[in-house]
Amino acid sequence: MINNRSLLIVGGLAAVAWLASNSLYVVDETERAVKLRFGEVIEENIQPGLHVKVPIAQTIRKFDTRLLTLDTDTSRYLTLEQKAVIVDSYVKWQVINPTRYYEATAGDELMAIRLIQPRVDESLRNEFGRLNLQEIIAERRDDLMTGPTADLDALMRDELGVAIRDIRIKRIDLPEDVSAAVFDRMRSEREREAREWRAQGQEEAERIRANADRRRQVLLAQANERSETLRGEGDAEAARIFSQAYGQDQEFFAFWRSLNAYRESFAGDDNLLVLEPDSDFFRYLRSAAPSNAE
């Protein structure tokens, strides 16, 4: 009798434990859940916390709502001018509508990736197809992906219940033949710009040089004018002084001028003068000679 009662108690406790373990469930902070009854969704977007369900009849599907990364395959796209580019990209996506996500993918993340990747490829193909190669090279990658991200996000929210948070370009390469052509074109463009800058610099240098020469001529003319003025004033002052000196003692002034003439005439070794002996030039030399000289 005691053994039967113990067995009943143990069985009852086991039943309670089983009922509790199958009736209670926890949704983590990083998850959202849906409640199913025989495969049909009866409660959507269950928030984090402790919840209750009916055992056996009801099941719970949980989905990770953290930001997920889809590293897409490297793809070859054609630009507006039909030139190929090799693009390596990745996508940041997130489950935002658990019910729609479950209905579209049965909650299988691999299935979701298989559905998202072709859409990303199509969106990038369309985006690169409307741009020429120069625009792709010159434009910032973040700006380049703004349009495709917004368009794909709107589409995926409706189709899969996921949000496309970002599409990022890791690398854009060119095929070898295109790379050589682009390099040659870029080099030609840079050489043309260098020639333009060089011509502008030469033109500016000529302008500065012309201005400097003009300024130099003006300064020289002003300096010459000033020097002539000063020279004229000096000559006038010298003439005035000579005139005053000549007026004070004409004989001494004539003697002084003759001495200067002698000094300048006989300064070198090769000086030769052909003059009459009684020339007035030798007047002071004859007067200085001794009276008994022949």
Side-chain angles (χ1 to χ4, degrees):
M1 193 70 177
I2 296 176
N3 291 336
N4 291 337
R5 183 180 299 175
S6 299
L7 290 175
L8 289 174
I9 294 173
V10 171
L13 292 175
V16 170
W18 178 86
L19 182 63
S21 63
N22 286 273
S23 298
L24 301 177
Y25 65 95
V26 176
V27 178
D28 193 72
E29 287 289 340
T30 61
E31 298 175 331
R32 295 296 181 271
V34 294
K35 183 182 294 185
L36 308 174
R37 183 170 59 200
F38 303 114
E40 180 184 359
V41 178
I42 60 174
E43 186 176 349
E44 302 179 352
N45 198 23
I46 300 175
Q47 299 298 308
L50 180 64
H51 303 277
V52 179
K53 67 181 181 69
V54 177
I56 301 176
Q58 297 178 350
T59 57
I60 303 299
R61 291 296 304 271
K62 301 176 184 179
F63 309 110
D64 191 347
T65 56
R66 290 176 294 184
L67 200 62
L68 304 176
T69 301
L70 168 57
D71 196 355
T72 61
D73 297 332
T74 301
S75 301
R76 181 186 180 99
Y77 303 125
L78 294 178
T79 64
L80 182 63
E81 65 268 52
Q82 297 300 302
K83 292 184 178 179
V85 290
I86 309 300
V87 179
D88 188 10
S89 62
Y90 67 92
V91 180
K92 291 291 187 180
W93 63 285
Q94 184 179 29
V95 177
I96 59 170
N97 187 336
T99 301
R100 187 74 191 94
Y101 180 72
Y102 174 77
E103 292 173 348
T105 66
D108 187 351
E109 184 176 321
L110 294 178
M111 175 65 73
I113 290 175
R114 285 195 293 268
L115 293 173
I116 293 173
Q117 188 160 353
R119 295 293 193 178
V120 174
D121 183 73
E122 180 183 1
S123 180
L124 293 180
R125 189 176 305 277
N126 293 336
E127 181 67 17
F128 281 97
R130 71 175 186 83
L131 301 172
N132 59 47
L133 190 59
Q134 185 64 30
E135 290 174 329
I136 294 173
I137 294 174
E139 194 168 354
R140 293 179 55 190
R141 294 182 181 181
D142 293 347
D143 298 335
L144 187 66
M145 291 294 99
T146 300
T149 299
D151 295 341
L152 191 60
D153 178 62
L155 181 64
M156 291 293 97
R157 285 173 182 265
D158 182 61
E159 288 189 0
L160 301 183
V162 301
I164 303 300
R165 299 301 187 187
D166 200 6
I167 301 177
R168 290 297 179 95
I169 301 297
K170 293 192 292 185
R171 186 172 180 178
I172 300 178
D173 292 328
L174 301 174
E176 292 184 3
D177 55 340
V178 178
S179 297
V182 171
F183 176 76
D184 291 340
R185 188 174 66 180
M186 292 178 64
R187 181 173 58 185
S188 299
E189 182 68 18
R190 295 300 177 268
E191 289 176 353
R192 182 186 63 80
E193 291 180 359
R195 288 193 297 270
E196 291 180 357
W197 283 108
R198 194 175 293 113
Q200 293 177 6
Q202 186 67 25
E203 180 181 356
E204 184 68 13
E206 292 295 336
R207 186 185 64 80
I208 294 174
R209 191 177 293 111
N211 290 336
D213 290 341
R214 180 181 58 81
R215 182 62 179 167
R216 173 177 172 272
Q217 294 297 328
V218 170
L219 292 176
L220 287 176
Q222 292 175 349
N224 288 332
E225 180 183 3
R226 180 62 177 164
S227 66
E228 291 296 331
T229 301
L230 293 176
R231 188 177 293 111
E233 293 176 353
D235 290 343
E237 182 67 16
R240 185 185 65 79
I241 294 174
F242 280 134
S243 179
Q244 290 179 355
Y246 182 77
Q248 293 178 3
D249 192 342
Q250 297 180 4
E251 181 63 24
F252 176 76
F253 184 73
F255 175 70
W256 181 78
R257 291 186 64 184
S258 296
L259 289 180
N260 285 333
Y262 296 154
R263 184 182 301 110
E264 293 177 359
S265 299
F266 302 114
D269 297 333
D270 299 329
N271 294 326
L272 177 63
L273 296 176
V274 180
L275 298 172
E276 294 289 339
D278 58 349
S279 172
D280 190 59
F281 183 75
F282 297 112
R283 179 164 61 93
Y284 289 105
L285 290 177
R286 289 195 304 270
S287 64
S291 59
N292 57 353
E294 292 294 332

